Amino acid sequence: MSPPAIDGGDDCYVGPSLEAAVAWEAGKPLSIEEVEVAPPQAMEVRVKILYTALCHTDVYFWEAKGQTPVFPRILGHEAGGIVESVGEGVTELAPGDHVLPVFTGECKECDHCKSEESNMCDLLRINVDRGVMIGDGKSRFTIKGKPIFHFVGTSTFSEYTVIHVGCLAKINPEAPLDKVCILSCGFSTGFGATVNVAKPKKGQTVAIFGLGAVGLAAMEGARLSGASRIIGVDLNPAKFEQAKKFGCTDFVNPKDHSKPVHEVLIEMTNGGLDKAGWGVAVLVGVPHKDAEFKTHPMNFLNERTLKGTFFGNYKPRTDLPNVVELYMKKELEVEKFITHSVPFSEINTAFDLMHKGEGIRCIIRMEN
């Protein structure tokens, strides 16, 4: 992919150099570098990032196995920060506002944004291959004049970043950014998949496949919905004890059984589950590029329902502030998702922890 052109003059950052963790090539440790961050252009906002977290999506595109490699790049998308300056046309945000960057946006003008049924904004939906701003097709990051690519419009592994206003959720300034930053991706994706899409009723049974951060957030949604039985399915037995904190009542490791896991679940529940069984199944997350599945039409004629969800069906700017308020009212337990914290200078430790499968979320403190 050819680097975008970078104009000089008014587009250059004026002030001291800032630090960012740069991925120069696939799978290599990130390097802390001094970068120049250009001022925000029309409908853009420059944000001072205070806390960011490592999500598996960052690792996925850092490894670049099966994706278009886009390097050098500043990764990061799950974060919390404060508005430093705004570009022309930005009226909803002002310097000092507390915000959560989001990897997908809400322009509020397209048919999807105006619909109550969709959060797939025509203008700002996620684009993992685009490494530049949508306004002018250029990067706001440079190192000694060399452009550095953006990542999903956020690039939060940087002390300062420039983001389209439609990808920023303005939140309660009293909310602790070192906690609510994780609401901007993984938590909301999993939690919303349960409460907005599966919608289990009190007393129903639920199974959740994969007990990483997104799966545990889905489990938290099932717990708060009053599910009577929550079955966690994972290949790592060590995750069961951790999952108990999120309401997991039973654990199934497919490796422990000679029959397909769905048959195990049917036996455990005397016929099937309300959610992920004979009732409603919800697909969450990004599949492998070659993944596919097939099923017989009779499965749907037997009143089963298969659904998909993107970012938990939340509209970023409209709904995310409300999720933060749930935390502020102590209706959400966010702290138990945060198992590690490291200074920005040790960001590669967060990658090591994820590779080892240790913990759930590691918070990276930008101000060491």
Side-chain angles (χ1 to χ4, degrees):
M1 185 171 184
S2 300
I6 297 293
D7 291 337
D10 293 339
D11 284 345
C12 293
Y13 176 78
V14 179
S17 292
L18 308 167
E19 288 190 336
V22 179
W24 288 101
E25 55 183 303
K28 300 296 183 182
L30 305 190
S31 175
I32 303 296
E33 306 279 359
E34 288 192 348
V35 300
E36 296 78 43
V37 185
Q41 301 303 301
M43 303 307 292
E44 297 175 359
V45 179
R46 189 159 59 189
V47 178
K48 180 179 182 181
I49 299 297
L50 296 183
Y51 300 94
T52 186
L54 180 65
C55 171
H56 191 267
T57 301
D58 296 307
V59 176
Y60 189 66
F61 285 93
W62 166 68
E63 293 176 332
K65 295 177 180 178
Q67 306 90 38
T68 303
V70 182
F71 297 101
R73 196 173 210 180
I74 297 174
L75 298 166
H77 62 283
E78 193 172 277
I82 299 175
V83 172
E84 180 264 346
S85 58
V86 301
E88 180 184 353
V90 175
T91 58
E92 294 186 18
L93 293 174
D97 285 342
H98 287 215
V99 292
L100 299 183
V102 187
F103 62 91
T104 190
E106 180 185 356
C107 73
K108 296 189 176 183
E109 299 295 333
C110 71
D111 289 342
H112 284 274
C113 287
K114 291 179 179 179
S115 166
E116 294 183 359
E117 305 299 323
S118 175
N119 65 351
M120 301 292 288
C121 176
D122 280 334
L123 178 66
L124 299 170
R125 72 178 62 175
I126 185 172
N127 185 321
V128 297
D129 294 328
R130 183 176 59 227
V132 294
M133 301 300 291
I134 63 171
D136 59 6
K138 299 177 183 179
S139 174
R140 302 290 176 261
F141 298 109
T142 56
I143 296 179
K144 298 179 180 178
K146 176 181 175 60
I148 307 298
F149 291 115
H150 295 247
F151 177 63
V152 295
T154 52
S155 292
T156 61
F157 292 168
S158 176
E159 290 184 299
Y160 283 79
T161 186
V162 176
I163 302 172
H164 191 284
V165 64
C167 295
L168 290 167
K170 180 181 177 180
I171 64 167
N172 185 340
E174 298 299 318
L177 290 174
D178 61 331
K179 305 295 191 302
V180 299
C181 63
I182 70 167
L183 301 182
S184 69
C185 180
F187 179 91
S188 295
T189 296
F191 187 77
T194 300
V195 301
N196 294 335
V197 186
K199 298 180 181 178
K201 297 177 181 178
K202 187 174 182 179
Q204 290 189 323
T205 56
V206 178
I208 295 170
F209 295 75
L211 301 182
V214 173
L216 292 175
M219 188 169 286
E220 183 77 352
R223 182 184 70 82
L224 291 177
S225 297
S228 61
R229 193 174 185 186
I230 303 173
I231 303 173
V233 182
D234 202 284
L235 298 174
N236 183 353
K239 291 187 176 182
F240 183 36
E241 284 302 315
Q242 180 173 259
K244 289 180 180 178
K245 300 177 184 177
F246 299 83
C248 187
T249 59
D250 303 82
F251 179 79
V252 174
N253 184 345
K255 291 182 178 179
D256 296 337
H257 302 273
S258 58
K259 62 181 65 176
V261 68
H262 71 275
E263 294 182 11
V264 175
L265 294 174
I266 288 172
E267 290 182 1
M268 290 176 64
T269 55
N270 296 319
L273 298 119
D274 297 297
K275 307 299 173 184
W278 51 263
V280 176
V282 181
L283 299 179
V284 188
V286 180
H288 187 276
K289 67 182 182 68
D290 296 323
E292 60 181 23
F293 66 87
K294 63 180 180 179
T295 188
H296 195 279
M298 189 58 69
N299 286 323
F300 297 107
L301 292 176
N302 287 339
E303 300 186 354
R304 290 182 173 92
T305 301
L306 177 64
K307 294 184 175 182
T309 179
F310 178 72
F311 192 50
N313 280 31
Y314 286 118
K315 291 180 183 288
R317 298 163 77 185
T318 299
D319 297 329
L320 202 50
N322 298 328
V323 179
V324 171
E325 290 307 310
L326 290 177
Y327 168 78
M328 296 298 286
K329 291 186 288 188
K330 302 187 184 303
E331 295 181 24
L332 295 181
E333 298 177 13
V334 171
E335 285 82 357
K336 61 187 177 184
F337 287 84
I338 301 170
T339 52
H340 296 82
S341 176
V342 298
F344 186 44
S345 59
E346 299 176 18
I347 188 171
N348 287 304
T349 299
F351 281 75
D352 294 338
L353 290 168
M354 184 164 286
H355 270 300
K356 295 175 183 177
E358 296 181 8
I360 306 172
R361 272 295 185 265
C362 180
I363 301 298
I364 300 159
R365 309 184 303 273
M366 302 305 292
E367 296 181 346
N368 295 323

